[in-house]
Amino acid sequence: MTAARGVLLCPITMRLLLQSLFFLLLLLLGSCLHPAVAFPKGCYPSEEEGLKTFRCSNAQLTEVPRDIPNDTNKLYLDFNQIPFLPRDAFRDLPLLLELDLSHNAIARIETGAFQGLAEHLHSLDLSSNRLVSVSKDAFSNLKAKVNLSNNPWLCDCRLQELIRVVELAADSSGGIVCDSSTQEEHVGKAFLQVIADTDFCNVYKKTTDIAMLVTMFGWFAMVISYLVYYVRQNQEDARRHLEYLKSLPSKQRRSEESSTISTVV
């Protein structure tokens, strides 16, 4: 009786074991085909108007996330605390069309931050950040329409050069206001209004040229002063020596006079 029961239990045990192995295999295959992606808290992918979108709005981010899907078309990083954009911050997003970085704390943009986006990106929003001065090289070859409004800009030649190389987003130019300026009367005014009458880069060049001229004149005056001093000093020494010779006996005086004259000549 006991032997018969053991015979019946073996097939059942084998079947349960096989079922367990089968389900474990399915789980392993599922994890390989659909790997889990740990997005930053507050970030999620979606699809909007047929475009793959990745939203991280108001997610308390302090840097650009690294695990953004590389087929993303629209990226929203607005209303965070991102302080700066490092080089190659978006290089793994070759299909990116729109990038919203508005309402952050961005105060510095490294050259090459938008590297890899030149071909496809057509909208870049950097409004409401803490940008004071940015090199034009940071936007090199970028064809996107850029919103630079509502930043504490320093109005100078550097900003003027930047405005010349970027294409401003529609209706955003009036928001580029001088928070500070090399000329106090421009503070609080729209930058495009200011540069209609003032060329910051030419003013800087003129100031530099004047400084160089003043420096050269100073050196020239020093050289002339030294030459005048040197000549006068030699003349005074020669005069004293001649007076000394006059006080000597005639033969010795003639000999030393000729020596002095040949020396002076």
Side-chain angles (χ1 to χ4, degrees):
M1 187 72 178
T2 304
R5 184 178 295 176
V7 171
L8 290 172
L9 287 174
C10 283
I12 296 173
T13 304
M14 289 297 295
R15 186 168 61 185
L16 290 173
L17 181 60
L18 289 173
Q19 286 178 345
S20 299
L21 290 173
F22 177 73
F23 284 120
L24 180 60
L25 181 62
L26 286 178
L27 288 172
L28 289 173
L29 286 173
S31 63
C32 291
L33 294 175
H34 303 284
V37 178
F39 296 128
K41 184 179 179 181
C43 300
Y44 61 92
S46 65
E47 189 164 325
E48 300 177 6
E49 301 175 350
L51 296 174
K52 293 186 177 181
T53 304
F54 194 74
R55 286 191 174 272
C56 288
S57 303
N58 201 17
Q60 299 182 347
L61 298 176
T62 56
E63 63 181 4
V64 177
R66 298 180 181 178
D67 298 322
I68 302 172
N70 57 15
D71 59 351
T72 298
N73 303 128
K74 299 171 71 174
L75 176 59
Y76 292 89
L77 298 172
D78 51 318
F79 290 96
N80 285 290
Q81 291 93 45
I82 299 172
F84 81 103
L85 301 178
R87 182 179 178 86
D88 295 326
F90 307 99
R91 80 176 166 185
D92 296 325
L93 302 172
L95 303 180
L96 198 62
L97 301 174
E98 296 182 19
L99 175 57
D100 190 346
L101 290 159
S102 63
H103 297 90
N104 271 279
I106 300 171
R108 182 165 58 93
I109 300 176
E110 290 186 356
T111 300
F114 304 113
Q115 190 169 318
L117 303 181
E119 294 299 321
H120 297 92
L121 192 70
H122 63 71
S123 176
L124 172 61
D125 194 344
L126 286 163
S127 62
S128 301
N129 276 281
R130 298 178 184 174
L131 295 172
V132 175
S133 183
V134 180
S135 171
K136 64 179 180 179
D137 297 333
F139 297 85
S140 179
N141 299 321
L142 202 63
K143 300 174 184 177
K145 293 182 179 179
V146 185
N147 188 343
L148 297 171
S149 61
N150 299 320
N151 281 280
W153 290 109
L154 165 63
C155 291
D156 60 358
C157 179
R158 202 177 195 200
L159 180 57
Q160 183 172 316
E161 289 181 338
L162 172 61
I163 297 299
R164 285 175 177 170
V165 300
V166 300
E167 183 179 355
L168 297 177
D171 302 322
S172 69
S173 60
I176 304 175
V177 178
C178 301
D179 187 73
S180 58
S181 175
T182 53
Q183 300 181 33
E184 191 65 27
E185 65 270 19
H186 297 147
V187 174
K189 294 182 180 179
F191 185 66
L192 292 189
Q193 176 187 348
V194 170
I195 59 174
D197 302 317
T198 304
D199 189 335
F200 285 94
C201 296
N202 274 345
V203 168
Y204 175 77
K205 185 176 182 300
K206 288 177 181 177
T207 303
T208 304
D209 291 344
I210 291 171
M212 288 181 65
L213 286 172
V214 170
T215 303
M216 290 175 64
F217 179 78
W219 279 105
F220 183 73
M222 287 177 62
V223 171
I224 294 298
S225 299
Y226 175 76
L227 288 175
V228 170
Y229 170 79
Y230 180 80
V231 170
R232 286 182 176 178
Q233 188 67 29
N234 282 348
Q235 287 179 342
E236 183 66 22
D237 290 343
R239 185 183 63 79
R240 289 177 180 175
H241 192 64
L242 287 173
E243 289 179 353
Y244 168 74
L245 291 176
K246 289 178 181 179
S247 65
L248 294 176
S250 58
K251 289 184 180 180
Q252 184 179 358
R253 186 171 63 232
R254 287 196 207 97
S255 175
E256 291 196 8
E257 278 180 357
S258 60
S259 176
T260 301
I261 290 171
S262 62
T263 303
V264 171
V265 172

